[in-house]
Amino acid sequence: MKHILYMLSLLFVTSAFVGCKQNEIELYNQSSRVNFYARQRIVEFVDTDYVKKTEFKTDSFAVRIQGVNLDAPRNFCLKVMPAEGYEASPELQLADKYTFSALDTVCQTYYYRVKRPELKRGNKAFGCLVAFDQANPNHQFDKGLVELNQMLVNVRWQLRPYNWDEGDWGEYSDAKYIYMMDVLGKDYSQLTYDDFDTVSKAYEAYLAAGKPAIVDDKDTPISF
């Protein structure tokens, strides 16, 4: 009886070992697939972009090869899809196709452009999904991991200077800072003490002309 149990145990171990080897071979022989390296990209437009009227920003993303390494360059294509939780989608400029040519590695970096989003009250973040376009005839990879098949692109305005001085300029709001940049034509890092008189007098004249008060996100009129 012990001999029979020993033989059965040996058979089980041998079968499991062979099965593992077969699975490893099957995994190694998978067709080449492509995945995003990261699930999200954040692109920020700042005060200097507002003053300079920056139209586009260039950002990068990386992809990783899954399965058998490539022995020749191969193309992949991308598409833009809506993302939940955003009022608007940013405008991206993607290439018609990208080529994975770094055959000595499994990762490669690429670039795309983001158009400056409209800056308006209550909407400072824009988002969309970028996904591999399996339906595009120029896409030459099989579908990779589901969780890495798409990448969130979060585009936002980040205007507030890190060193804003409330003692000099009062309480901060984007609306207030935008007005200052519109009047002065420069960002916070370039301001001088004389600029306070310039912008406060300009705002007094603005109100005296019967124009509506500029308000922040709390509907509180700005002041200088």
Side-chain angles (χ1 to χ4, degrees):
M1 183 64 179
K2 290 183 179 180
H3 179 72
I4 295 175
L5 290 175
Y6 172 78
M7 292 299 294
L8 289 174
S9 299
L10 182 61
L11 179 62
F12 174 78
V13 171
T14 303
S15 299
F17 177 78
V18 173
C20 289
K21 283 296 184 181
Q22 288 176 341
N23 289 337
E24 289 173 4
I25 293 172
E26 290 172 359
L27 180 62
Y28 181 79
N29 286 333
Q30 282 184 336
S31 62
S32 298
R33 302 161 190 268
V34 65
N35 299 305
F36 285 110
Y37 190 83
R39 298 186 185 184
Q40 178 174 262
R41 296 296 303 170
I42 297 177
V43 181
E44 289 188 340
F45 285 79
V46 296
D47 53 358
T48 53
D49 295 316
Y50 182 82
V51 172
K52 295 176 181 178
K53 296 180 171 56
T54 301
E55 188 174 2
F56 288 93
K57 274 200 166 183
T58 299
D59 188 43
S60 64
F61 66 94
V63 301
R64 179 187 290 272
I65 298 298
Q66 171 191 347
V68 177
N69 290 347
L70 300 182
D71 56 10
R74 191 178 294 190
N75 300 325
F76 66 89
C77 301
L78 302 176
K79 62 181 179 180
V80 176
M81 304 187 302
E84 295 183 1
Y86 294 91
E87 294 181 12
S89 294
E91 185 176 329
L92 308 184
Q93 288 188 347
L94 302 170
D96 292 335
K97 63 182 179 181
Y98 295 90
T99 302
F100 195 101
S101 57
L103 304 183
D104 58 341
T105 182
V106 294
C107 289
Q108 190 167 346
T109 300
Y110 303 87
Y111 299 90
Y112 67 104
R113 299 213 303 167
V114 181
K115 186 175 182 180
R116 166 186 170 138
E118 181 182 1
L119 177 56
K120 61 181 182 180
R121 183 183 177 199
N123 189 359
K124 301 181 182 66
F126 303 76
C128 66
L129 294 172
V130 176
F132 294 108
D133 190 358
Q134 303 291 145
N136 192 313
N138 292 317
H139 187 83
Q140 298 178 317
F141 289 90
D142 291 335
K143 187 173 182 179
L145 299 174
V146 173
E147 63 270 24
L148 293 176
N149 189 56
Q150 59 188 25
M151 171 183 68
L152 174 66
V153 177
N154 184 321
V155 181
R156 59 198 185 197
W157 281 98
Q158 185 63 41
L159 292 175
R160 179 169 183 157
Y162 72 93
N163 57 343
W164 178 272
D165 190 339
E166 291 192 353
D168 289 337
W169 296 97
E171 184 177 359
Y172 175 87
S173 72
D174 281 350
K176 182 177 188 175
Y177 188 32
I178 289 169
Y179 180 78
M180 291 167 54
M181 290 189 288
D182 287 342
V183 170
L184 301 171
K186 50 188 175 181
D187 64 87
Y188 189 80
S189 67
Q190 300 172 305
L191 298 186
T192 66
Y193 288 111
D194 293 336
D195 290 327
F196 181 84
D197 287 337
T198 301
V199 75
S200 59
K201 289 177 180 178
Y203 190 57
E204 288 176 5
Y206 172 91
L207 295 176
K211 296 180 180 179
I214 299 172
V215 297
D216 60 22
D217 288 342
K218 300 178 183 178
D219 285 327
T220 301
I222 67 171
S223 62
F224 292 97

